[in-house]
Amino acid sequence: MEVIISETAEASSSAAARVVARQVRENPESVLGLATGSTPLKLYRELIRLHREEDLDFSRVTTFNLDEYVGLENDHPQSYHAFMHENLFRHINIPAPQIHIPDGMTPDIPMFCEGYERRIADAGGIDLQVLGIGSDGHIGFNEPTSSFASRTRIKTLAQPTVEDNARFFDGEVSRVPRHCITMGIGTIMSARRVVMLAFGEGKAAAVAAAVEGPVAALMPASILQHHPDAKFFADEAAASQLKLGDYYRWVYAGKPEWQRDA
Ligand code: PGA
């Protein structure tokens, strides 16, 4: 994993957006894996700016979102369909048929999940996956002990996740859906590149465990240590518990200019 520490979440997000933009410019038919939550918001804002001001073209891009709550209609304000539309899709020029988000209202979840995997494969696989990390180390909604080989399926949300996400449901834990459809860890690991983001002190312990701890199913994000092309963008607060923070900064500062993102 390449660890890139920036002063602020804004700087981190701009650097990550440059990686995504480069991917899309190099291959206008890129397949992007996208994430929801508060973490990627600044990255999406920067992609929107690049689209408006620097002609970043999404017209041939295909997207697959990581996850969706089970039981929320697509137009429910807290659905990830609504989130993506509001925070990215309606501001860029991606045609609706090229957008894929798990359907939390599907009557046949196993069949839907199989079909989702097939659609990813038919699109040629994911070129670049954007990821956040949960305070419990989850990626997508793959909670601790999720199989590293898992593919898209239904999962039960862990308690810390339900509590973290209650802030989007007027602080009411009882209103947070208990189940979701999520790409598996195996699905995520099949992406050719991964851009992971973590901001704020609340993520510091998970970041340290994921980057420097043992690779373990109890810390799903730690599997990224085995990914051949994973960049981890963290702000100072999220990086604050890394033992080797200075080492990552030194390595990054020593890279040739053309290899730098931040
Ligand atoms: P957050 O969630 O961006 O809202 O902190 C991250 C995640 O759960 O993956």
Side-chain angles (χ1 to χ4, degrees), residues 35-40 66-67 80 131-136 138-141 161 164-165 167-168 197 199 203:
T36 50
S38 41
T39 305
L66 282 168
D67 46 20
Y80 288 166
L131 271 188
I133 176 171
S135 60
D136 64 355
H138 71 210
I139 48 176
F141 270 135
T161 304
D164 281 351
N165 289 5
R167 69 189 194 277
F168 298 116
L197 306 162
F199 307 133
K203 300 290 172 72

Side-chain angles (χ1 to χ4, degrees), residues 240-261:
S240 60
Q241 290 185 31
L242 287 166
K243 287 196 195 78
L244 300 181
D246 286 343
Y247 166 72
Y248 310 127
R249 290 186 191 90
W250 190 86
V251 168
Y252 190 76
K255 287 177 74 156
E257 190 71 38
W258 62 272
Q259 276 192 330
R260 288 198 222 159
D261 304 305

